[in-house]
């Protein structure tokens, strides 16, 4: 929150480290970069940690976001842009004007850049620049430089930069077996591609990099992606509860077991008997407001929310299923979770919706002395 309140604009520099080596001719992504094919079922080799920078118009603010890119040929890739992303709006505007969208794909960055790039609405609104927040987080401005062959900017201290344009052409992401899988996703399963879904084609114009660059990637089901995805919902949840509920929130953790989105632990401190009900009301409101969130655990301040053992201990000793489980039904399903599909829920009254659950593992105010822990981890 401090970084968002004290944003520092980026600065332009010349002769950046990311342009020590310049490849303009005979571009071949797979020969010039160690791009991984993660499983035999993947659609192809993927750049999975490429931070894309794109301008809003010729002089507009920059948008920074991470997108997966599937390599299809020596100088062409597809880019996956999920609905609602700011990059999608910039792309649609460019294509409507009969233009390609110039982008830089930045690889090998410090953690602050990746954290800031994951901030979405309501934390970072359209027209605002994630790089300014990253500057506030660092306490110093992000350094930018002009790309050499496309009309946008790149991160000066990136290890590798791919200069490219997103074109109007769209093709299946998996051209080997159209309609089949993509790459391993953050929930731990091989990603699927809806039949008929097309992705924009990215045409590479140049590759620049430092001397002896470090190539950075991420494998879908892992801590790195889950930690990055949890940033926006954690901050948004904190801000919402602070604004709307007089409940003493100690901490919140969107657990990596749920990919940083589907499972969270909310830690509260109760001050009086009324907080028993107030904490449940606040937690249910959060559960309903965060679209992907499926399971929310409510715990006291003596429970280590980062410990699976401590969480299961609270679920075992401070929870009764018939009293402490609260449901929200008729929710829109999160389709990447196969257990929310109509096929999985075929015996339910309405298989086309999903159900969310709150597990209240807090101690009733009047019984707090009986639940005092002699040792707190």
């Amino acid at each position: 929150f401090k970084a968002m309140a004290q944003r520092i604009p980026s600065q332009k520099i010349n002769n950046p480290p990311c342009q020590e080596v310049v490849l303009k001719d005979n571009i071949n992504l797979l020969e010039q970069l160690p791009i991984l094919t993660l499983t035999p079922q993947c659609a192809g080799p993927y750049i999975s940690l490429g931070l894309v920078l794109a301008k809003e118009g010729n002089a507009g603010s920059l948008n920074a976001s991470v997108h997966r890119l599937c390599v299809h040929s020596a100088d062409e890739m597809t880019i996956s842009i999920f609905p609602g992303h700011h990059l999608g709006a910039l792309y649609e505007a460019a294509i409507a004007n009969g233009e390609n969208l110039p982008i830089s794909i930045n690889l090998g960055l410090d953690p602050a850049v990746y954290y800031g790039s994951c901030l979405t609405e309501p934390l970072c609104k359209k027209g605002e620049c994630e790089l300014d927040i990253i500057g506030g987080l660092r306490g110093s401005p992000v350094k930018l430089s002009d790309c050499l062959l496309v009309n946008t900017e790149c991160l000066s201290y990136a290890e590798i930069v791919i200069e490219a344009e997103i074109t109007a052409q769209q093709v299946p992401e998996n051209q080997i077996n159209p309609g089949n899988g993509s790459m391993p996703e953050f929930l731990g399963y091989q990603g699927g591609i809806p039949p008929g879904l097309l992705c924009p084609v990215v045409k590479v114009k140049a590759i620049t990099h430092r001397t002896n660059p470090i190539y950075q990637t991420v494998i879908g089901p892992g801590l790195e992606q889950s930690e990055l995805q949890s940033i926006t919902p954690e901050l948004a949840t904190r801000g919402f509860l602070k604004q709307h509920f007089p409940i003493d929130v100690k901490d919140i953790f969107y657990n990596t077991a749920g990919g940083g989105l589907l499972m969270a632990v909310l830690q509260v401190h109760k001050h009086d008997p009324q907080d028993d009900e107030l904490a449940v009301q606040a937690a249910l409101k959060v559960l309903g407001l965060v679209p992907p969130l499926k399971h929310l655990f409510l715990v006291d301040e003596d429970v280590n929310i980062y410990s699976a053992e401590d969480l299961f201990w609270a679920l075992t000793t401070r929870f009764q299923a018939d009293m402490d489980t609260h449901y929200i039904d008729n929710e829109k399903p999160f389709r990447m979770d196969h257990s929310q599909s109509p096929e999985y829920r075929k015996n339910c009254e309405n298989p086309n919706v999903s159900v969310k659950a709150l597990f209240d593992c807090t101690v009733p105010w009047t019984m707090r002395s009986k639940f005092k822990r002699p040792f707190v981890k």
Side-chain angles (χ1 to χ4, degrees), residues 61-290:
S61 64
L62 279 172
N63 172 253
S65 51
V66 175
H67 302 267
R68 72 178 187 226
L69 298 118
C70 184
V71 178
H72 289 287
S73 67
D75 62 353
E76 287 186 337
M77 303 179 281
T78 53
I79 183 169
S80 179
I81 307 174
F82 289 103
H85 275 254
H86 296 173
L87 182 66
L90 299 183
Y91 169 66
E92 291 172 3
I95 298 305
N97 289 331
E99 303 170 347
N100 294 335
L101 179 66
I103 61 171
S104 66
I105 303 163
N106 301 263
L107 300 164
L109 311 171
D110 68 78
V113 176
Y114 288 118
Y115 274 113
S117 71
C118 292
L119 295 174
T120 58
E121 293 197 68
L123 301 175
C124 186
K125 299 178 175 59
K126 290 181 180 178
E128 296 180 341
C129 185
E130 293 87 352
L131 299 180
D132 296 349
I133 301 174
I134 295 166
L137 184 63
R138 282 176 166 177
S140 62
V142 175
K143 302 299 193 298
L144 295 173
S145 299
D146 289 327
C147 289
L148 301 177
L149 294 185
V150 298
N151 183 26
T152 192
E153 293 156 74
C154 61
L155 293 169
S156 307
Y157 288 88
E159 293 284 327
I160 302 165
V161 174
I162 301 172
E163 299 186 9
E165 293 180 342
I166 308 180
T167 71
Q169 182 185 3
Q170 297 192 4
V171 299
E173 184 175 16
N174 190 333
Q175 293 192 301
I176 303 169
N177 295 297
N180 287 354
S182 54
M183 64 176 289
E185 288 286 4
F186 68 98
L187 288 180
Y189 302 102
Q190 189 73 18
I193 302 173
L197 180 67
L198 303 178
C199 293
V201 172
V202 176
K203 185 72 174 180
V204 176
K205 302 296 183 181
I207 299 174
T208 72
H209 60 77
R210 297 179 185 231
T211 304
N212 298 320
I214 298 172
Y215 181 80
Q216 192 176 18
T217 190
V218 65
I219 297 174
L223 294 180
E224 298 98 333
Q225 183 171 351
S226 297
E227 292 282 1
L228 289 171
Q229 290 191 140
S230 70
I231 295 165
T232 289
E234 283 184 4
L235 289 173
T237 299
R238 284 176 179 270
F240 172 80
L241 291 175
K242 183 177 180 180
Q243 182 178 359
H244 295 285
F245 283 90
I247 190 74
D248 188 357
V249 175
K250 307 306 292 184
D251 207 349
I252 184 162
F253 175 43
Y254 276 72
N255 198 293
T256 55
L261 291 175
L262 274 70
M263 172 186 169
V265 189
L266 176 62
Q267 184 187 59
V268 299
H269 174 72
K270 295 180 181 179
H271 292 273
D272 53 53
Q274 286 72 36
D275 282 346
D276 284 344
E277 181 60 29
L278 184 61
V280 170
Q281 291 176 2
L284 284 171
K285 195 67 174 178
V286 168
L287 194 61
L289 284 177
V290 181

